Amino acid sequence: MSQNTSQNYEQYEGLISGNGNPRWSQSYYYNAYDPATKTGVLIRIGLLENVPEANTWLIAFKDGLPVFTRTNLNLPYTTTRPLEGLELAGMRVHAEVPLKRTRITFAMQDFSLDLVWDELQPMEDCIAMTQDKEGSFAREIAHIHLEGTSTVRGHLIHRGTRMELNGQGFRDIAAGPRNWDALQHYRLAWPIFENGMALSGIRGISTNGGSAYMRMFHDGQRWLRVTHIEDQLEFGSEPFTVASAHWRFTDELDRSYEFTAKPLFSWLFPLDTFVLREQWMEYRMSDGTLGYGLFETGYRLPWVGLA
């Protein structure tokens, strides 16, 4: 029980070499949402050492609609990481206090942002918490997958209109081989609830039909293992969308919880023979407690559904 604090997780804000692995990847993900202003952002950086290239996306939305979208899939590779101050495609990401405080700035004609992610719940390795060192996630997606929650404060400026953001969000840091083609489908729920609870729940379905998980739960005091998940979803009429979701899970203290989710915003990202659907959700626990967060699904192409 409780998280592992003995690891030197701070090193993952810097360069981690893959020793020649052709699929080696480091990635950094940041999201945020302010329910008062209905403003949010989705930001990801992928660094592929042996391709070599980098990729980024930055999506800003308000009132359920995009206000700025930028996706870069084939940028020049860099060995710089957030620890030193990473600059890619007009965006600067600086881990001012490794794992605990990251500032992201971006500026171009008609759009800019300046946001700071401050630790709310500490980052922990979801793969280690899952205790599945040999599963398909550990083999094909990452060797380490740090996840944690943050308060996020700052502003966006869109065509001269300033939008304040004072909310919360998840972030992750991953290092290891990244082989999207090993998965037929996956689904991810990252709710942060008003009572201080948060779930990192990820289910992957491999090309041979097997299921694997990354999962951990913050009960407001500490990260705990999740021993069981049941996840149901209803696909939407638009391809690769989820209209609603219903999850149940049990933590290592044998406490059970459940929540539903409905979409507030949706965006599709291409990854060659794989696509990701990012959806921002309003979550609701069975006792009525509200939360907000990402709901992500991935689909191997051509998508033929699940058996």
Side-chain angles (χ1 to χ4, degrees):
M1 187 172 66
S2 79
Q3 57 258 39
N4 181 353
T5 57
S6 64
Q7 298 284 348
N8 178 22
Y9 290 156
E10 291 85 355
Q11 68 179 309
Y12 293 98
E13 295 275 26
L15 176 65
I16 302 294
S17 175
N19 299 320
N21 187 309
R23 296 182 183 271
W24 189 261
S25 168
Q26 283 186 264
S27 63
Y28 301 85
Y29 194 109
Y30 311 84
N31 63 47
Y33 184 69
D34 182 346
T37 62
K38 297 182 180 178
T39 302
V41 295
L42 306 169
I43 296 171
R44 186 184 186 274
I45 298 166
L47 300 158
L48 307 174
E49 181 178 65
N50 296 306
V51 175
E53 64 185 24
N55 55 73
T56 67
W57 70 53
L58 192 167
I59 310 298
F61 60 95
K62 182 175 175 59
D63 298 322
L65 296 172
V67 296
F68 181 83
T69 68
R70 173 168 286 194
T71 303
N72 307 277
L73 293 182
N74 303 105
L75 296 171
Y77 178 72
T78 176
T79 58
T80 307
R81 298 294 185 265
L83 186 64
E84 304 90 32
L86 172 62
E87 297 187 13
L88 278 173
M91 180 167 56
R92 176 175 170 80
V93 180
H94 185 203
E96 296 178 338
V97 181
L99 305 183
K100 296 183 179 298
R101 178 183 173 89
T102 295
R103 183 182 181 189
I104 300 180
T105 57
F106 178 85
M108 66 160 291
Q109 184 179 0
D110 296 329
F111 182 80
S112 64
L113 64 77
D114 189 340
L115 297 170
V116 175
W117 276 254
D118 275 309
E119 179 186 279
L120 178 62
Q121 297 157 340
M123 301 196 79
E124 183 52 64
D125 182 5
C126 194
I127 291 177
M129 291 292 289
T130 306
Q131 298 184 2
D132 182 17
K133 295 181 180 180
E134 300 301 324
S136 61
F137 277 112
R139 289 194 310 269
E140 307 288 356
I141 298 302
H143 289 160
I144 188 166
H145 207 281
L146 303 176
E147 299 169 21
T149 64
S150 301
T151 60
V152 188
R153 295 183 175 88
H155 66 270
L156 302 78
I157 300 176
H158 178 241
R159 296 197 180 113
T161 299
R162 182 179 174 112
M163 296 170 283
E164 300 298 327
L165 193 153
N166 183 4
Q168 297 179 346
F170 253 94
R171 60 167 299 199
D172 77 37
I173 300 174
R178 181 58 57 98
N179 180 17
W180 294 109
D181 206 47
L183 294 177
Q184 180 71 17
H185 170 69
Y186 79 92
R187 53 194 65 172
L188 170 155
W190 274 355
I192 305 173
F193 292 102
E194 293 175 341
N195 60 7
M197 294 179 175
L199 174 73
S200 171
I202 310 167
R203 177 190 176 194
I205 299 173
S206 67
T207 52
N208 63 14
S211 284
Y213 290 90
M214 290 195 295
R215 55 197 186 187
M216 62 185 187
F217 168 62
H218 202 286
D219 67 354
Q221 301 297 321
R222 62 205 183 285
W223 288 109
L224 298 167
R225 291 187 60 239
V226 171
T227 58
H228 182 72
I229 287 181
E230 296 177 25
D231 59 287
Q232 298 175 319
L233 55 77
E234 179 181 342
F235 288 105
S237 57
E238 183 181 352
F240 314 121
T241 61
V242 172
S244 64
H246 185 185
W247 286 44
R248 300 179 181 88
F249 67 95
T250 303
D251 71 13
E252 64 179 275
L253 302 180
D254 205 32
R255 298 175 298 185
S256 295
Y257 306 87
E258 65 179 291
F259 60 81
T260 57
K262 65 177 184 180
L264 301 176
F265 174 73
S266 180
W267 198 255
L268 186 69
F269 291 98
L271 287 170
D272 297 333
T273 58
F274 201 84
V275 294
L276 301 183
R277 173 67 73 173
E278 305 286 77
Q279 293 184 253
W280 200 262
M281 296 285 203
E282 177 188 279
Y283 291 91
R284 187 180 295 272
M285 299 186 79
S286 58
D287 65 1
T289 302
L290 282 177
Y292 299 92
L294 187 68
F295 194 93
E296 181 179 272
T297 48
Y299 308 84
R300 188 174 189 263
L301 302 179
W303 176 243
V304 294
L306 296 173

